[in-house]
């Protein structure tokens, strides 16, 4: 399993917007320069985040992007699914049937059980994480995320 560039950059952009404290927001060129991502890609990802309702654009010469809702109300699991989809979806088996049109293991598949369990575990953990949890510096966020993980394991 890999995190895609779209998921990584999209989450970084959302965090950059959340950390920006000016009322008019932060522009695509500013995000591009700070994050080292092309302006075209920042534009594509901000559009995705705007359509999903996570950010709003502010008009005018000094306009930019701001959060559409408080960081505490932005669920990271939902953001990741908007940016890249679930790790394992119901369509997954249809996408990898092998040389046949129907997977030879479509009725009895222990691998599918593994993917479903991984997806469930990831969902349960990421459902407990908000954008606010990631705004702090890495050391603070890391401690907070560890506490969430330990709560999940209990």
């Amino acid at each position: 399993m890999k995190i895609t560039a779209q998921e990584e950059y999209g989450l970084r952009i959302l965090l950059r917007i959340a950390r920006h404290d000016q009322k008019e927001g932060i522009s695509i060129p500013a995000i591009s320069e700070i994050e080292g991502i092309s302006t075209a890609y920042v534009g594509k990802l901000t559009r995705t985040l705007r359509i999903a309702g996570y950010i709003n654009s502010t008009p005018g010469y000094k306009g930019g992007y701001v959060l559409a809702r408080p960081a505490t109300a932005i669920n990271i699991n939902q953001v990741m699914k908007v940016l890249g989809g679930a790790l394992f979806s119901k369509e997954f088996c249809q996408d990898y049937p092998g040389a046949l049109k129907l997977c030879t293991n479509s009725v009895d598949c222990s691998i599918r059980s593994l993917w479903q369990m991984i997806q469930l575990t990831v969902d349960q953990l990421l459902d407990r994480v908000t954008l606010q949890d990631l705004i702090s510096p890495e050391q603070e966020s890391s401690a907070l995320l560890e506490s969430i993980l330990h709560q999940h394991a209990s």
Side-chain angles (χ1 to χ4, degrees):
M1 290 177 282
K2 294 183 179 184
I3 303 297
T4 66
Q6 183 163 307
E7 292 162 333
E8 168 70 13
Y9 294 153
L11 194 52
R12 281 172 46 185
I13 289 167
L14 191 58
L15 266 169
R16 181 63 54 194
I17 293 167
R19 289 176 176 147
H20 193 74
D21 59 357
Q22 294 180 354
K23 188 171 82 169
E24 66 271 359
I26 185 169
S27 69
I28 287 175
I31 295 169
S32 173
E33 183 177 330
I34 294 166
E35 292 296 334
I37 306 168
S38 76
T39 55
Y41 204 31
V42 172
K44 173 188 174 190
L45 293 173
T46 52
R47 181 177 187 277
T48 299
L49 293 167
R50 184 181 49 76
I51 289 170
Y54 295 115
I55 60 175
N56 288 327
S57 58
T58 59
Y61 171 71
K62 292 199 172 211
Y65 288 93
V66 295
L67 292 182
R69 52 184 126 152
T72 55
I74 297 177
N75 176 284
I76 295 303
N77 194 25
Q78 295 307 314
V79 171
M80 295 299 283
K81 286 181 178 171
V82 163
L83 291 169
L87 293 172
F88 179 81
S89 66
K90 291 183 169 127
E91 296 79 31
F92 186 87
C93 293
Q94 296 167 0
D95 293 341
Y96 299 98
L100 306 173
K101 288 187 180 190
L102 183 65
C103 179
T104 58
N105 298 301
S106 62
V107 176
D108 182 22
C109 181
S110 56
I111 296 172
R112 180 175 46 232
S113 297
L114 172 64
W115 299 148
Q116 288 172 331
M117 185 57 66
I118 290 170
Q119 183 64 59
L120 177 67
T121 304
V122 167
D123 283 344
Q124 287 176 342
L125 179 60
L126 290 182
D127 275 339
R128 300 177 88 179
V129 180
T130 68
L131 186 61
Q132 183 65 46
D133 298 329
L134 302 177
I135 289 176
S136 303
E138 185 176 3
Q139 192 171 13
E140 290 176 40
S141 289
S142 181
L144 180 62
L145 293 172
E146 279 187 45
S147 74
I148 291 170
L149 180 61
H150 292 305
Q151 290 171 7
H152 174 69
S154 326

